[in-house]
Amino acid sequence: MAYRVLIVDDDHLMARSLSRCLESEGFLGFVVHSGEDAMRVLKREEFDLVLLDLSMPGLDGFQTLEGIKADYPDLQVVILTASQDIHDAIWAMKHGADDYLIKSSDMEEAVQLVAKKALKTASLAKENALLKRQTQERINQYCLVTESSSMRLVYQLIEKIAQKEHSTVLIIGESGTGKEVVARTIHNLSPNPEKAFIDISCSSLPDSLVESELFGFEKGAFTDAKSAKQGLLELADGGTLFLDEIATLNLSVQAKLLRFLEQRTFRRIGSTIDRQVDIRIIAATNRDLAKKVSRGEFREDLFYRLNVFPITIPPLRERKEDIMPLANFFIQRFNQKLHLNIQGFNQQAAQLLVNYTYPGNIRELKNIIERAMIIEDSELITPSSLHFPKGEMFFAEPILTDDTSAYLQPAEADQPTQQPEKFLTLAEMEKAHILKALKQAGGNKEQAAKLLGIGRSTLFRKLAGLEGDLP
Ligand SMILES: Nc1ncnc2c1ncn2[C@@H]1O[C@H](COP(=O)(O)OP(=O)(O)OP(=O)(O)O)[C@@H](O)[C@H]1O
Ligand SMILES: [Mg+2]
């Protein structure tokens, strides 16, 4: 798309010649002859650049400049001036003009150069604004729900350590408990959240690659090193390097990392120059590092270096108070993302969610909610939309009792009256009844089918629909 340049000059000849110069370089030139016209046109149309003559009758260049910068602060304005008026141009630069151009008979090349430079500045400014917005979005994206007392404690630790820019942090927690969100929250609450947050999963790359990714290399350091490359330590300079699954780091990289943590310097592979970077290391593990140390698989000294500030994230099953706040948080997120309008959960669905044990922790809860939202037809999530994928111990105790109503509403079972919203759908009743039969038959499907008075294949078909919901 061609750039649009507005030329504002009461000298018709000059304006036309400027327009021709620009058009020969592929720009689109538009000419007006007064400040008033310029302001009018700017209201109606968009431009990438304005070339503005300073001395014009009526609204002069200075006033027009003021008007443009007040209404369109990001629009690039280049002042046109005669050589004897250079001081005016400098004054204009001090008052918001982006550049100036001295009028002359052979200014073609100069016009083109100045226009290109101004447009490059404009596009860099745009890029910068975009990056800032993306950073802000990135920061907003990682919201940490912390309702339970244990997670509130975790949050207090996060707030404290975030301020200590150089402190190393070790985050320990089962898979899906939110280690990465915690790491990002630490970064986002640190004094420089706009700086880089670089993450590397130490288990996802072969050992040799982890080393070159982290520390970088010089040209010729190994056969494939055709040119020098910065490592992640350098890329993260000023910010945070998140080393996920640190337990899988091999011993030689562990030694290098230890050296970095102790001396804050490192060398690219193949280099003898010590480099210094200013970063925070956050490591995460879902394994027992102390055990790895005792087995000789993880360096003890590195373990102590990393373990200065450990943050342990409890599994979701140990902080059930977080389940519903998280579930509602995900509903909001997916309503936005999937353009849905789910309002929440009915009582039975909420009960099931709270009772489940979540071997995959919050990631699993998130997936369960997303799936439920997609298949749910009503505004509230009902049990029939909930699918517990790992099928492990899905029913915590109060759920599978001999009483079907107790299965879905354990908390309310004793209440004499049923509120209308808790009325079970046929599908829910059927599911509960099938599960009850299965339980009574000790998991034997043939017997369960007999109990239910249906054929084996009918039961199999129904079970296929409930796949994953079964104990
Ligand atoms: N407290 C929380 N609040 C909101 N969302 C969370 C929270 N904890 C985790 N999540 C969400 O759960 C999912 C899993 O979290 P995350 O990737 O941080 O877990 P992890 O511990 O790093 O898992 P893994 O060990 O598998 O890498 C992510 O989508 C994350 O956004
Ligand atoms: Mg992770």
Side-chain angles (χ1 to χ4, degrees):
M1 202 184 62
Y3 287 109
R4 296 161 60 87
V5 183
L6 180 65
I7 301 149
V8 191
D9 196 334
D10 59 327
D11 178 342
H12 289 229
L13 267 181
M14 174 56 74
R16 228 172 299 134
S17 116
L18 284 170
S19 174
R20 269 198 303 272
C21 293
L22 291 169
E23 281 173 2
S24 69
E25 267 298 293
F27 299 108
L28 286 177
F30 298 83
V31 172
V32 290
H33 301 297
S34 71
E36 289 86 348
D37 279 349
M39 295 310 291
R40 258 193 297 275
V41 172
L42 281 169
K43 264 203 190 109
R44 284 198 317 262
E45 294 179 44
E46 275 207 29
F47 292 90
D48 302 292
L49 169 65
V50 178
L51 297 187
L52 177 64
D53 183 28
L54 275 187
S55 64
M56 288 183 294
L59 197 62
D60 69 14
F62 298 104
Q63 293 162 314
T64 313
L65 172 66
E66 232 169 53
I68 295 177
K69 283 292 169 181
D71 294 351
Y72 316 97
D74 300 329
L75 183 56
Q76 294 279 307
V77 181
V78 172
I79 295 299
L80 299 168
T81 184
S83 59
Q84 68 273 20
D85 298 332
I86 189 81
H87 291 294
D88 288 345
I90 291 170
W91 187 93
M93 294 280 290
K94 283 191 180 147
H95 289 81
D98 297 284
D99 205 346
Y100 68 88
L101 194 63
I102 296 172
K103 291 183 183 180
S104 72
S105 52
D106 59 345
M107 58 191 295
E108 181 166 343
E109 206 174 321
V111 175
Q112 293 168 349
L113 278 175
V114 166
K116 278 187 201 159
K117 184 171 151 255
L119 291 167
K120 192 165 176 195
T121 310
S123 89
L124 281 176
K126 243 188 219 165
E127 241 172 65
N128 207 357
L130 183 71
L131 279 176
K132 272 204 181 132
R133 225 188 60 210
Q134 284 171 342
T135 307
Q136 199 48 48
E137 277 171 8
R138 196 189 72 203
I139 290 173
N140 296 341
Q141 191 192 344
Y142 292 96
C143 175
L144 194 69
V145 175
T146 52
E147 290 283 323
S148 61
S149 49
S150 54
M151 278 310 279
R152 279 207 295 270
L153 277 178
V154 165
Y155 196 77
Q156 284 167 11
L157 287 177
I158 290 174
E159 277 182 320
K160 284 210 180 95
I161 200 68
Q163 293 311 313
K164 310 246 173 311
E165 278 170 89
H166 297 109
S167 311
T168 302
V169 182
L170 178 65
I171 305 173
I172 305 145
E174 286 180 13
S175 179
T177 45
K179 297 184 292 296
E180 184 174 341
V181 210
V182 166
R184 286 184 185 271
T185 308
I186 293 173
H187 175 79
N188 292 342
L189 294 177
S190 71
N192 294 313
E194 74 291 348
K195 291 284 166 65
F197 176 96
I198 306 258
D199 62 327
I200 174 173
S201 168
C202 303
S203 68
S204 64
L205 297 169
D207 292 344
S208 58
L209 263 185
V210 173
E211 183 174 351
S212 64
E213 279 291 302
L214 279 180
F215 300 100
F217 50 82
E218 295 297 344
K219 183 176 175 184
F222 42 86
T223 334
D224 287 339
K226 303 268 186 282
S227 57
K229 191 179 165 209
Q230 285 194 331
L232 299 181
L233 283 175
E234 282 167 86
L235 288 179
D237 199 8
T240 303
L241 179 63
F242 177 49
L243 301 173
D244 205 358
E245 303 184 52
I246 187 93
T248 59
L249 214 55
N250 78 24
L251 286 165
S252 101
V253 183
Q254 286 179 28
K256 287 200 159 184
L257 181 61
L258 178 68
R259 176 174 182 268
F260 172 72
L261 287 173
E262 281 176 342
Q263 302 173 4
R264 291 279 154 183
T265 61
F266 69 98
R267 289 177 185 177
R268 288 183 184 174
I269 300 173
S271 167
T272 50
I273 301 169
D274 284 331
R275 285 167 201 272
Q276 206 162 10
V277 286
D278 178 22
I279 58 171
R280 183 212 292 279
I281 299 268
I282 303 183
T285 181
N286 56 16
R287 312 219 192 133
D288 187 345
L289 270 190
K291 214 180 257 171
K292 289 211 101 189
V293 169
S294 66
R295 281 199 238 114
E297 291 163 2
F298 202 86
R299 288 182 71 112
E300 190 170 13
D301 40 12
L302 178 60
F303 172 62
Y304 288 120
R305 270 275 158 194
L306 292 172
N307 204 31
V308 180
F309 199 98
I311 295 182
T312 302
I313 312 179
L316 189 53
R317 63 184 171 280
E318 286 174 19
R319 46 178 167 119
K320 285 185 175 286
E321 310 97 282
D322 282 335
I323 294 175
M324 289 320 291
L326 277 164
N328 286 313
F329 168 74
F330 292 136
I331 285 210
Q332 282 173 22
R333 276 281 152 97
F334 289 124
N335 271 341
Q336 269 176 16
K337 187 177 142 197
L338 308 170
H339 306 291
L340 296 169
N341 186 29
I342 301 278
Q343 299 296 316
F345 302 87
N346 79 2
Q347 168 93 18
Q348 299 93 326
Q351 189 64 56
L352 291 179
L353 283 171
V354 174
N355 280 331
Y356 184 50
T357 51
Y358 301 96
N361 290 294
I362 298 174
R363 182 176 295 109
E364 188 178 6
L365 171 64
K366 189 175 171 184
N367 293 340
I368 290 171
I369 304 292
E370 181 174 13
R371 181 183 182 280
M373 288 176 72
I374 292 168
I375 50 178
E376 183 60 61
D377 292 324
S378 68
E379 284 195 337
L380 291 182
I381 304 268
T382 54
S384 55
S385 312
L386 290 174
H387 199 80
F388 293 89
K390 296 209 172 158
E392 284 180 31
M393 222 297 281
F394 141 42
F395 301 103
E397 260 331 293
I399 296 223
L400 254 194
T401 67
D402 286 342
D403 179 347
T404 309
S405 67
Y407 153 60
L408 287 170
Q409 309 162 29
E412 310 281 331
D414 296 337
Q415 289 187 4
T417 51
Q418 259 196 346
Q419 290 157 16
E421 64 161 285
K422 288 169 206 142
F423 196 87
L424 296 186
T425 64
L426 268 180
E428 287 160 358
M429 285 295 286
E430 183 182 77
K431 178 166 133 190
H433 206 56
I434 289 174
L435 292 167
K436 191 176 156 196
L438 269 172
K439 191 188 175 209
Q440 200 154 320
N444 182 322
K445 291 179 186 144
E446 201 143 11
Q447 265 184 34
K450 268 194 198 134
L451 282 172
L452 291 164
I454 55 176
R456 232 168 49 117
S457 54
T458 311
L459 178 62
F460 273 88
R461 191 160 34 79
K462 288 183 184 293
L463 284 174
L466 298 177
E467 198 192 319
D469 283 359
L470 303 172

